[in-house]
Amino acid sequence: DAKTTQPPSMDCAEGRAANLPCNHSTISGNEYVYWYRQIHSQGPQYIIHGLKNNETNEMASLIITEDRKSSTLILPHATLRDTAVYYCIVRVAGSGGSNYKLTFGKGTLLTVNP
Amino acid sequence: DTGVSQNPRHKITKRGQNVTFRCDPISEHNRLYWYRQTLGQGPEFLTYFQNEAQLEKSRLLSDRFSAERPKGSFSTLEIQRTEQGDSAMYLCASSLRQVNEKLFFGSGTQLSVL
């Protein structure tokens, strides 16, 4: 999988939008961007994924730049329960080969403050 | 079904002892993964099953580690002759084989080797 670069930590005020950046400058055309988060003492949880179009679900929005070299995960109204480590991962699409494997970096620790 | 279940949640053992962890995946999921996570790091891939077949083992998995998934249902991870360096969180995840599969993680087993 291509490497990603994320800031080690970020702070956000409760109720405000949290914008988490990720650089993936070596991403290939068939690689998706996935986001997972890990709340303390729990396993990682899937948030969202996308290829080149912006995506939104009930948890977050994903904005991918036109050149696909970077993306931003947006939590529109952060709550204290969103405090977690957020992982940005790029992964080849398809269910064959070694596409099953997720390679995690160190992620970004997002702290939501009251 | 409430998700991926791992037991025990915590295990303390003395160096040299054998330990076994159990993972019960989401029932219809045909893929099962084991990851290991140490403090401050993202999860690292250990091994992967598709149904009952173990299709990949990481180089991180020494000969002291063995994993099974009999009948393609639950899985066990055994560590023989534990060492202090084995202390970590052991995470299990399951998924359904598809183009953009999502991994569902359990809460992990925290192993402490004294």
Side-chain angles (χ1 to χ4, degrees):
Chain A
D1 290 353
K3 282 193 171 181
T4 62
T5 305
Q6 299 179 253
S9 64
M10 293 183 63
D11 285 332
C12 177
E14 188 178 19
R16 305 296 294 267
N19 297 282
L20 292 95
C22 179
N23 287 323
H24 31 80
S25 58
T26 60
I27 193 169
S28 301
N30 63 346
E31 287 182 314
Y32 281 70
V33 180
Y34 281 76
W35 285 83
Y36 282 75
R37 74 178 183 184
Q38 187 171 23
I39 295 170
H40 183 62
S41 296
Q42 296 183 22
Q45 174 192 25
Y46 166 84
I47 302 173
I48 198 167
H49 73 277
L51 182 63
K52 54 184 178 181
N53 298 320
N54 298 338
E55 302 288 344
T56 296
N57 63 18
E58 66 278 3
M59 291 184 69
S61 295
L62 175 60
I63 309 297
I64 302 173
T65 58
E66 192 169 344
D67 64 7
R68 302 210 324 120
K69 292 184 177 182
S70 65
S71 60
T72 301
L73 179 74
I74 300 172
L75 307 179
H77 305 286
T79 71
L80 299 179
R81 288 177 294 180
D82 291 322
T83 292
V85 177
Y86 287 76
Y87 297 101
C88 171
I89 301 165
V90 293
R91 179 167 175 256
V92 177
S95 57
S98 61
N99 298 340
Y100 50 83
K101 197 184 304 184
L102 290 180
T103 302
F104 291 83
K106 293 187 178 182
T108 296
L109 173 60
L110 174 69
T111 303
V112 181
N113 300 305
Chain B
D1 192 303
T2 56
V4 178
S5 177
Q6 290 189 247
N7 288 289
R9 285 283 278 129
H10 303 275
K11 179 70 177 179
I12 300 173
T13 191
K14 292 183 179 179
R15 189 175 52 187
Q17 298 293 305
N18 299 345
V19 294
T20 300
F21 311 139
R22 178 180 171 120
C23 171
D24 288 274
I26 294 172
S27 56
E28 64 269 24
H29 285 183
N30 50 11
R31 288 183 162 178
L32 186 145
Y33 313 79
W34 286 97
Y35 282 78
R36 179 171 67 188
Q37 185 173 26
T38 53
L39 200 61
Q41 304 296 316
E44 295 174 295
F45 171 82
L46 290 180
T47 191
Y48 152 68
F49 290 84
Q50 182 156 305
N51 300 312
E52 67 277 6
Q54 187 174 19
L55 297 186
E56 184 174 347
K57 292 172 62 173
S58 164
R59 285 172 293 177
L60 295 173
L61 218 61
S62 77
D63 292 343
R64 297 183 296 105
F65 287 70
S66 62
E68 294 182 340
R69 190 183 184 199
K71 301 179 183 177
S73 56
F74 71 93
S75 176
T76 57
L77 178 67
E78 180 182 16
I79 309 174
Q80 296 183 326
R81 305 180 302 281
T82 53
E83 301 172 358
Q84 289 185 323
D86 297 331
S87 296
M89 173 75 80
Y90 289 84
L91 292 161
C92 175
S94 69
S95 69
L96 198 58
R97 177 177 175 166
Q98 54 190 208
V99 172
N100 281 304
E101 64 189 86
K102 307 167 190 174
L103 269 62
F104 293 81
F105 284 82
S107 294
T109 294
Q110 180 66 53
L111 173 66
S112 297
V113 181
L114 305 179

